[in-house]
Amino acid sequence: MRRGKLFWDKPFPLEREGLLPYLTITYHTSGKLNKSKDNVIWICHAFSAGSDVSEWWPDMIGKGKCFDPSKYFVVCANILGSCYGTTGPLSVNPETNRPYYSSFPFVTIRDMAAAHEILREYLGIKRIKLLIGSSIGAFQGLEWNIMKPQLFEHFAFISGSAKTSPWAVAFSEAQRMALLSDPTFHEASEHAGSEGMKAARSVALLSYRNYQIYGESQAEKEIDRVNNFRVSSYQRYQGEKLAKRFNAFSYYVLLNALDSHNVGRGRNSIIKALSKVEAKTLVVGITTDLLFPVSEQKFVASYIKNSDYVEIDSIYGHDAFLIETGILSRLIIDKCKIK
């Protein structure tokens, strides 16, 4: 995929508080935009991913695969508040000439969708053939559909919800507590809070997977072991792995954005907001998803007037959207007419 960067030199108003004096959006594309500027597959990435889809969804993109750049113009933009090139806590605050760090303002999912819209106009895209998102990516896609309902032909909404539940917020709060327990978190340093982020990631993993998959993949093989368990090593490894590539301030900002998700805010009700979606929508639930249970996807499907609900039976929980790529590809090709 090709990397691009848009510098938006106008003030970017935020939904909740104030504005950003400028906006930088890092994005990746693959394939070519056709003459009618409508052969677009736009992918909204999940929490700690970046805009290079080939890095985190390699089985989904490429010639002959679901997202085929020989047929489609594939776009993915790094989300607002992240640390992979789009404006976030590591960006320079022009008022201080120093990075924002912990002073970065509160951003919402709606703000992320508004940033996508700026990039869409910059790229000259007239209509999007398929908008697809999983988890927080599904949140972005839903907000964008409500903001610009006539823009999208198809929408694939995977493992998401119309409003973040108390259960999901509880997981986020446990992660925030882990971040804030790190005494370095408020230091003006790119690496501040890294130990807290490792602990936060360990908490998050419990919501991404489930009892069954931990039992199968992390079962102890030594019958007499009483400490230093295999699963303990796994939890620490995953925390270390994230700390090498992500930033604690961005992690905190994105947790707050995830919790802010409520498509009904300012629109009278969630049901009225969902009724605005005009795209032919594929809603996908994962039977073992602990973070966003299938009841939440069924609710979304029941109030989007042109939708199909499909359930994937997988042991992998919320992370199934990253793993069950064969099943997902077949569903998307069939339901979203991507051939």
mmCIF file of all heavy atoms in Angstrom, residues 63-84:
data_model
loop_
_atom_site.group_PDB
_atom_site.id
_atom_site.type_symbol
_atom_site.label_atom_id
_atom_site.label_comp_id
_atom_site.label_asym_id
_atom_site.label_seq_id
_atom_site.Cartn_x
_atom_site.Cartn_y
_atom_site.Cartn_z
ATOM 1 N N LYS A 63 -4.221 -8.786 -4.743
ATOM 2 C CA LYS A 63 -4.813 -9.272 -5.990
ATOM 3 C C LYS A 63 -5.439 -10.642 -5.780
ATOM 4 O O LYS A 63 -4.811 -11.552 -5.240
ATOM 5 C CB LYS A 63 -3.759 -9.336 -7.088
ATOM 6 C CG LYS A 63 -4.356 -9.622 -8.455
ATOM 7 C CD LYS A 63 -3.343 -9.482 -9.569
ATOM 8 C CE LYS A 63 -4.014 -9.708 -10.926
ATOM 9 N NZ LYS A 63 -3.054 -9.562 -12.038
ATOM 10 N N GLY A 64 -6.675 -10.762 -6.183
ATOM 11 C CA GLY A 64 -7.403 -12.018 -6.035
ATOM 12 C C GLY A 64 -8.028 -12.205 -4.668
ATOM 13 O O GLY A 64 -8.742 -13.190 -4.452
ATOM 14 N N LYS A 65 -7.780 -11.269 -3.751
ATOM 15 C CA LYS A 65 -8.353 -11.366 -2.407
ATOM 16 C C LYS A 65 -9.613 -10.508 -2.317
ATOM 17 O O LYS A 65 -10.039 -9.903 -3.297
ATOM 18 C CB LYS A 65 -7.317 -10.955 -1.360
ATOM 19 C CG LYS A 65 -6.097 -11.879 -1.334
ATOM 20 C CD LYS A 65 -5.074 -11.454 -0.294
ATOM 21 C CE LYS A 65 -3.857 -12.366 -0.305
ATOM 22 N NZ LYS A 65 -2.835 -11.954 0.694
ATOM 23 N N CYS A 66 -10.191 -10.469 -1.133
ATOM 24 C CA CYS A 66 -11.459 -9.755 -0.953
ATOM 25 C C CYS A 66 -11.359 -8.293 -1.384
ATOM 26 O O CYS A 66 -12.201 -7.798 -2.130
ATOM 27 C CB CYS A 66 -11.882 -9.855 0.510
ATOM 28 S SG CYS A 66 -13.509 -9.169 0.870
ATOM 29 N N PHE A 67 -10.341 -7.607 -0.920
ATOM 30 C CA PHE A 67 -10.121 -6.207 -1.294
ATOM 31 C C PHE A 67 -9.038 -6.180 -2.363
ATOM 32 O O PHE A 67 -7.847 -6.090 -2.066
ATOM 33 C CB PHE A 67 -9.716 -5.376 -0.076
ATOM 34 C CG PHE A 67 -10.637 -5.539 1.107
ATOM 35 C CD1 PHE A 67 -10.129 -5.680 2.391
ATOM 36 C CD2 PHE A 67 -12.014 -5.557 0.948
ATOM 37 C CE1 PHE A 67 -10.963 -5.828 3.486
ATOM 38 C CE2 PHE A 67 -12.869 -5.712 2.035
ATOM 39 C CZ PHE A 67 -12.343 -5.849 3.306
ATOM 40 N N ASP A 68 -9.455 -6.293 -3.594
ATOM 41 C CA ASP A 68 -8.539 -6.476 -4.725
ATOM 42 C C ASP A 68 -8.201 -5.115 -5.350
ATOM 43 O O ASP A 68 -9.052 -4.484 -5.985
ATOM 44 C CB ASP A 68 -9.196 -7.388 -5.761
ATOM 45 C CG ASP A 68 -8.233 -7.827 -6.856
ATOM 46 O OD1 ASP A 68 -7.236 -7.118 -7.089
ATOM 47 O OD2 ASP A 68 -8.493 -8.869 -7.484
ATOM 48 N N PRO A 69 -6.952 -4.652 -5.188
ATOM 49 C CA PRO A 69 -6.583 -3.340 -5.727
ATOM 50 C C PRO A 69 -6.506 -3.291 -7.243
ATOM 51 O O PRO A 69 -6.375 -2.198 -7.812
ATOM 52 C CB PRO A 69 -5.216 -3.063 -5.090
ATOM 53 C CG PRO A 69 -4.684 -4.404 -4.729
ATOM 54 C CD PRO A 69 -5.861 -5.253 -4.397
ATOM 55 N N SER A 70 -6.601 -4.432 -7.902
ATOM 56 C CA SER A 70 -6.661 -4.402 -9.367
ATOM 57 C C SER A 70 -8.054 -4.002 -9.840
ATOM 58 O O SER A 70 -8.251 -3.664 -11.010
ATOM 59 C CB SER A 70 -6.276 -5.762 -9.948
ATOM 60 O OG SER A 70 -7.256 -6.751 -9.663
ATOM 61 N N LYS A 71 -9.030 -4.030 -8.925
ATOM 62 C CA LYS A 71 -10.413 -3.660 -9.252
ATOM 63 C C LYS A 71 -10.888 -2.431 -8.491
ATOM 64 O O LYS A 71 -11.735 -1.678 -8.990
ATOM 65 C CB LYS A 71 -11.348 -4.826 -8.927
ATOM 66 C CG LYS A 71 -11.033 -6.120 -9.658
ATOM 67 C CD LYS A 71 -11.967 -7.219 -9.190
ATOM 68 C CE LYS A 71 -11.660 -8.534 -9.884
ATOM 69 N NZ LYS A 71 -12.530 -9.637 -9.420
ATOM 70 N N TYR A 72 -10.357 -2.254 -7.294
ATOM 71 C CA TYR A 72 -10.878 -1.211 -6.407
ATOM 72 C C TYR A 72 -9.767 -0.288 -5.919
ATOM 73 O O TYR A 72 -8.590 -0.657 -5.877
ATOM 74 C CB TYR A 72 -11.586 -1.836 -5.210
ATOM 75 C CG TYR A 72 -12.797 -2.656 -5.592
ATOM 76 C CD1 TYR A 72 -12.736 -4.036 -5.659
ATOM 77 C CD2 TYR A 72 -14.000 -2.026 -5.926
ATOM 78 C CE1 TYR A 72 -13.836 -4.791 -6.034
ATOM 79 C CE2 TYR A 72 -15.108 -2.765 -6.299
ATOM 80 C CZ TYR A 72 -15.020 -4.147 -6.354
ATOM 81 O OH TYR A 72 -16.107 -4.869 -6.739
ATOM 82 N N PHE A 73 -10.177 0.913 -5.552
ATOM 83 C CA PHE A 73 -9.295 1.863 -4.900
ATOM 84 C C PHE A 73 -9.515 1.701 -3.395
ATOM 85 O O PHE A 73 -10.578 2.055 -2.873
ATOM 86 C CB PHE A 73 -9.629 3.283 -5.348
ATOM 87 C CG PHE A 73 -8.721 4.357 -4.796
ATOM 88 C CD1 PHE A 73 -7.346 4.270 -4.930
ATOM 89 C CD2 PHE A 73 -9.260 5.476 -4.170
ATOM 90 C CE1 PHE A 73 -6.518 5.279 -4.443
ATOM 91 C CE2 PHE A 73 -8.449 6.488 -3.677
ATOM 92 C CZ PHE A 73 -7.070 6.388 -3.822
ATOM 93 N N VAL A 74 -8.529 1.119 -2.715
ATOM 94 C CA VAL A 74 -8.664 0.780 -1.297
ATOM 95 C C VAL A 74 -8.021 1.879 -0.457
ATOM 96 O O VAL A 74 -6.865 2.257 -0.693
ATOM 97 C CB VAL A 74 -8.011 -0.581 -0.987
ATOM 98 C CG1 VAL A 74 -8.241 -0.958 0.481
ATOM 99 C CG2 VAL A 74 -8.563 -1.669 -1.905
ATOM 100 N N VAL A 75 -8.764 2.373 0.521
ATOM 101 C CA VAL A 75 -8.301 3.483 1.360
ATOM 102 C C VAL A 75 -8.445 3.114 2.828
ATOM 103 O O VAL A 75 -9.451 2.517 3.234
ATOM 104 C CB VAL A 75 -9.117 4.771 1.099
ATOM 105 C CG1 VAL A 75 -8.587 5.932 1.938
ATOM 106 C CG2 VAL A 75 -9.130 5.126 -0.383
ATOM 107 N N CYS A 76 -7.455 3.467 3.621
ATOM 108 C CA CYS A 76 -7.559 3.376 5.076
ATOM 109 C C CYS A 76 -6.816 4.563 5.671
ATOM 110 O O CYS A 76 -5.675 4.833 5.293
ATOM 111 C CB CYS A 76 -6.972 2.069 5.600
ATOM 112 S SG CYS A 76 -7.147 1.849 7.399
ATOM 113 N N ALA A 77 -7.475 5.271 6.579
ATOM 114 C CA ALA A 77 -6.872 6.444 7.222
ATOM 115 C C ALA A 77 -6.604 6.155 8.681
ATOM 116 O O ALA A 77 -7.447 5.586 9.376
ATOM 117 C CB ALA A 77 -7.802 7.652 7.096
ATOM 118 N N ASN A 78 -5.435 6.557 9.148
ATOM 119 C CA ASN A 78 -5.134 6.455 10.577
ATOM 120 C C ASN A 78 -6.068 7.389 11.343
ATOM 121 O O ASN A 78 -6.304 8.522 10.935
ATOM 122 C CB ASN A 78 -3.682 6.824 10.837
ATOM 123 C CG ASN A 78 -3.265 6.651 12.279
ATOM 124 O OD1 ASN A 78 -2.649 7.531 12.855
ATOM 125 N ND2 ASN A 78 -3.612 5.537 12.891
ATOM 126 N N ILE A 79 -6.601 6.910 12.460
ATOM 127 C CA ILE A 79 -7.636 7.669 13.164
ATOM 128 C C ILE A 79 -7.071 8.804 14.011
ATOM 129 O O ILE A 79 -5.941 8.754 14.494
ATOM 130 C CB ILE A 79 -8.518 6.757 14.037
ATOM 131 C CG1 ILE A 79 -7.684 5.957 15.045
ATOM 132 C CG2 ILE A 79 -9.362 5.852 13.170
ATOM 133 C CD1 ILE A 79 -8.536 5.108 15.995
ATOM 134 N N LEU A 80 -7.886 9.812 14.172
ATOM 135 C CA LEU A 80 -7.570 10.960 15.016
ATOM 136 C C LEU A 80 -7.262 10.489 16.440
ATOM 137 O O LEU A 80 -7.994 9.693 17.022
ATOM 138 C CB LEU A 80 -8.772 11.898 15.023
ATOM 139 C CG LEU A 80 -8.630 13.246 15.713
ATOM 140 C CD1 LEU A 80 -7.599 14.096 14.982
ATOM 141 C CD2 LEU A 80 -9.986 13.956 15.731
ATOM 142 N N GLY A 81 -6.146 10.968 16.998
ATOM 143 C CA GLY A 81 -5.752 10.602 18.351
ATOM 144 C C GLY A 81 -4.767 9.465 18.418
ATOM 145 O O GLY A 81 -4.202 9.185 19.483
ATOM 146 N N SER A 82 -4.523 8.793 17.301
ATOM 147 C CA SER A 82 -3.589 7.676 17.289
ATOM 148 C C SER A 82 -2.152 8.192 17.242
ATOM 149 O O SER A 82 -1.905 9.395 17.305
ATOM 150 C CB SER A 82 -3.894 6.763 16.094
ATOM 151 O OG SER A 82 -3.096 5.600 16.123
ATOM 152 N N CYS A 83 -1.218 7.277 17.111
ATOM 153 C CA CYS A 83 0.204 7.668 17.128
ATOM 154 C C CYS A 83 0.916 7.235 15.856
ATOM 155 O O CYS A 83 2.137 7.114 15.834
ATOM 156 C CB CYS A 83 0.905 7.075 18.345
ATOM 157 S SG CYS A 83 0.770 5.282 18.501
ATOM 158 N N TYR A 84 0.150 6.996 14.798
ATOM 159 C CA TYR A 84 0.731 6.541 13.537
ATOM 160 C C TYR A 84 0.632 7.591 12.436
ATOM 161 O O TYR A 84 0.462 7.263 11.281
ATOM 162 C CB TYR A 84 0.070 5.238 13.093
ATOM 163 C CG TYR A 84 0.417 4.048 13.971
ATOM 164 C CD1 TYR A 84 -0.579 3.186 14.410
ATOM 165 C CD2 TYR A 84 1.726 3.788 14.341
ATOM 166 C CE1 TYR A 84 -0.273 2.079 15.196
ATOM 167 C CE2 TYR A 84 2.043 2.700 15.128
ATOM 168 C CZ TYR A 84 1.040 1.850 15.556
ATOM 169 O OH TYR A 84 1.351 0.765 16.343
#
